[in-house]
Amino acid sequence: MIVPEPREDPMDAERFPIDPWRLVEKYPSNDDLGITETLFATANGYLGIRATPEETRPSYKNGTFINGFHETWEIKHAENAFGFAKTGQTLVNAPSSHIIKLYVDDEPLIISMADLVDYERSLDFRDGVLRRNLIWRTPSGKRVQVRSRRMVSLADRHLALMTFEVTMLEGDAPIVISSQIVNQEDFDSLAQQPITAESQQVGIKDPRKNHGFGHRVLLGELDWCSPRRMILGYKVANSGMTLGVGADHQIITNNEFEEIDDTTADMGRKIYRIGAKQGEPILISKAIAYHTSRSVPVRELSDRVRRTLDRVRNSGFEQMVASHKEVLDGFWRRSDVQVGGDERIQQAVRWCLFELAQAGGRSDGLGIPAKGVTGDGYEGHYFWDSEVYVIPFLSYTSPIWARNALRFRYTSLRQARERAREMSVGGALFPWRTINGEEASAYYAAGTAQYHIDAAIAYSIGRYWDVTGDTEFIYGEGAELLIETARMWADLGFWRGDTFEIHGVTGPDEYTTVVNNNMYTNVMAKNNLELACKVVETMHEEAPEELSRLRKNLNLRADEIEEWAHCAEGMKIPYDEQLGIHLQDDVFIHKELWDIENTPKERFPLLLHYHPLVIYRFQVLKQADVVLANFLLGNRYTREQKRADFEYYDPITTGDSSLSVVVQSIVAAEVGHQDMAYEYFLAGLYVDLADLHHNASDGVHIASAGGVWHSLACGFAGMRQWGPVMEFDPRLPRQWDHLQLRLTQEDTLFEVRVERKKIRFEILEGTEKPVRVRDKEYLVMPGVPLEVELKGQGVRLPNLATTHPIIGGTRPDGSRITAEVPDATESIPRVE
């Protein structure tokens, strides 16, 4: 695992200088195009535009992505079986509309070739605007200033806005500016890389990447233009989804110019030919609208595009920019985290928070993909990531956004019920990875077998309930989800004497599959069952009419609820008295240990270098499993149990998943390994900014960004909530002098500030609320900040002395514990 040293700056400070509110690039480079396209992307949860230059070249993936806008294709299994996923789903690269090409004296501006006198690109977290300012010395020696702005609106999710300003600083020149909308999914060979040297090699394709299509995807159904507007419309070949995209233009200049308008099925162009005079600026404003649907005809979507663009005309371009900033102002008021001690870390923290806003702000009932809409990694699929790592953050900071994200699972409940029938269980079984609600995981052992997706959904509903008290949602859609997922667990498991067991599942650790009694799964299933009982009991007392409706609509019986409580009470939680740890599953400790310390670095991630069966034979983790259960449901374990679990499993966790280090950071802080907690936090904080997993080019790791917030709030501020009262037991890193964050509890917005010797609470909005600090309860009153003295920052233990668990001991069956690295042979070279 790559963990930056705490004192090292993992970013190039000369190229990416420290700025607490912006990500800044001082000069461009072709060496990391994909990474910077991701890092500087602009998005709102529905629409995302990667940070390729307006001129489109050079680029790694000139991508525009719309949440849920996908193509389907038949999954061809080498050996099929009943219940295998049938239809793959892949995010489509929507037509790109940010393209504005510039020609001066008929010489094109191409960033990789241009003689740049000055250059700066910045993404401002406060207003969500991507800016680029440069001065270009043309081949004839003229100097040209080019300034651009680009943003995707959080106020109107269908809208993107941009400006492009050109000024001749030295000399006059004929200028051509070509603003375009291009169907790049099918036609732009400069932006796409369907066949690469890597993809042609013998061996496994990286399952984290989108490998493209072999057919025409976007079928043109409409192209239209007028002097100010152009609109294109498409239907997706197999999925049948439809899309409308349009753009309005306005030019302001004292220079003479002429306009040309042109559209074809795959391109719309607005061309300005300008006689540019020295010192006379040319400002072009471009408003862009996207609308998509699973069934609405293209003609209707084009009308929606027109209405969106008309609003910009009527309200004014800059007013729409201001409306977007107003939404971000509210987000930062509710969500900002201040770190006292390191300005680079402060910058990185705010970048992560900003990415969460860009992923969840306007998903509006859609899911939150693993990469948001900043790239097409994981094919644009939704996983359990958002329920565990993102929705709790939104619940504490932007509850409306959290509710919208939770509603996605309710809208796909029909497919989940059908999948449950197919998998021979009751209730609803949600897909491991999906876009349209159907299972899209072709490898069932590390996909479909992860039944814990149901428990993750229930967990996020429970967190949302505790934080917001939103009974309208809980007593309606939330209760239905809890009931149907509880039914699944009650039917999936079975009794062995007085013990309820769950067999044939895979936990979060995808390096250990199809096992019996995965501890994480069983603990989360127990929580799911208990939550379902709780919501029915609460509704019986507080909302009998709503409960009566649920009973009728779901055929809910009293004996079912009794069964759920019985299953939860009898749930098997594997534990080994001799080792003093919770067992990851029934047979995990009977395997040999994988010697991570002596595994060559180039062999990570293991999934790309070893056959799954090789990995499955060893005690080795892709990501935290038992330790994740220790965090999510930490009130069920003693601190001594959590420490024992952490110290056993942490050394055999590879961190091949970006989801792991943030959880390891939280639990390490809680049990006392505070230096390790800080190192793991840094590894999570810079997973994209320093490209620690070498795939940031495919999009932002959104769940990891959510995990960074959890590391700050739950790890270092020590916040937990197991009911209506928030609890705090801080572990402030010794490198920082304070940590300040904001949290929403029902109608109250808190500011919490942790310092070395005290913790301070202040209500910014709302009514009085109780808080608990290290087992003692206090009442925080509006207008009266509360300070509580802290005696230290918890126990501080030395780092684990070894990189693998103690070997040479014996298991309960008497076998000796050993560790090894499996032999590996290279792929057989291709014979041409």
Side-chain angles (χ1 to χ4, degrees), residues 344-366:
R344 174 66 86 189
I345 289 177
Q346 180 67 79
Q347 178 187 35
V349 164
R350 286 200 174 114
W351 181 85
C352 289
L353 297 177
F354 177 67
E355 293 305 323
L356 290 168
Q358 292 206 128
R362 296 306 307 270
S363 61
D364 290 6
L366 297 167

Side-chain angles (χ1 to χ4, degrees), residues 681-808:
F681 166 73
L682 293 179
L685 182 66
Y686 293 110
V687 68
D688 288 314
L689 289 167
D691 193 25
L692 298 182
H693 283 249
H694 310 293
N695 63 348
S697 56
D698 300 320
V700 173
H701 291 81
I702 296 298
S704 181
V708 166
W709 179 86
H710 279 83
S711 294
L712 292 162
C714 304
F716 300 141
M719 186 271 289
R720 298 289 189 277
Q721 187 167 359
W722 312 119
V725 179
M726 286 191 285
E727 306 176 12
F728 294 85
D729 185 3
R731 301 287 190 272
L732 186 68
R734 57 185 175 186
Q735 294 87 347
W736 303 349
D737 55 36
H738 74 271
L739 170 64
Q740 184 169 298
L741 65 154
R742 294 180 173 183
L743 300 164
T744 299
Q745 171 77 37
E746 296 180 339
D747 61 344
T748 300
L749 176 63
F750 288 92
E751 183 170 81
V752 183
R753 183 181 176 91
V754 178
E755 298 180 6
R756 302 227 66 83
K757 296 183 178 181
K758 65 182 179 182
I759 183 170
R760 182 178 186 271
F761 301 91
E762 182 177 0
I763 292 177
L764 304 180
E765 298 173 3
T767 59
E768 63 184 45
K769 290 292 178 185
V771 296
R772 188 173 293 120
V773 179
R774 294 181 177 170
D775 299 325
K776 186 175 180 180
E777 192 164 303
Y778 303 85
L779 187 64
V780 188
M781 305 289 292
V784 185
L786 170 70
E787 291 189 355
V788 179
E789 181 182 355
L790 296 176
K791 295 182 179 179
Q793 294 292 327
V795 64
R796 181 178 293 276
L797 300 171
N799 286 353
L800 297 182
T802 61
T803 56
H804 53 75
I806 298 173
I807 61 174

Side-chain angles (χ1 to χ4, degrees), residues 163-182:
T163 61
F164 194 80
E165 184 180 42
V166 181
T167 306
M168 296 298 301
L169 299 181
E170 292 182 3
D172 303 338
I175 286 179
V176 174
I177 299 175
S178 177
S179 175
Q180 303 175 3
I181 301 175
V182 178

Side-chain angles (χ1 to χ4, degrees), residues 99-113:
I99 301 171
I100 300 180
K101 298 188 176 184
L102 172 65
Y103 303 84
V104 177
D105 288 329
D106 285 331
E107 297 289 345
L109 172 60
I110 301 175
I111 294 298
S112 60
M113 301 170 60

Side-chain angles (χ1 to χ4, degrees), residues 190-202:
L190 294 174
Q192 293 201 84
Q193 299 171 323
I195 300 176
T196 65
E198 178 184 357
S199 68
Q200 291 297 295
Q201 292 176 358
V202 173

Side-chain angles (χ1 to χ4, degrees), residues 636-656:
R636 299 172 186 260
Y637 317 103
T638 66
R639 185 163 294 163
E640 291 73 23
Q641 288 174 328
K642 292 181 216 179
R643 177 181 171 184
D645 288 345
F646 177 83
E647 292 182 349
Y648 185 87
Y649 289 105
D650 189 78
I652 54 174
T653 304
T654 63
D656 284 348

Side-chain angles (χ1 to χ4, degrees), residues 3-25:
V3 180
E5 291 297 326
R7 295 183 181 179
E8 292 181 358
D9 188 342
M11 302 177 68
D12 180 348
E14 182 179 351
R15 183 178 171 205
F16 301 105
I18 296 172
D19 187 307
W21 280 105
R22 298 187 305 156
L23 181 64
V24 182
E25 180 187 51

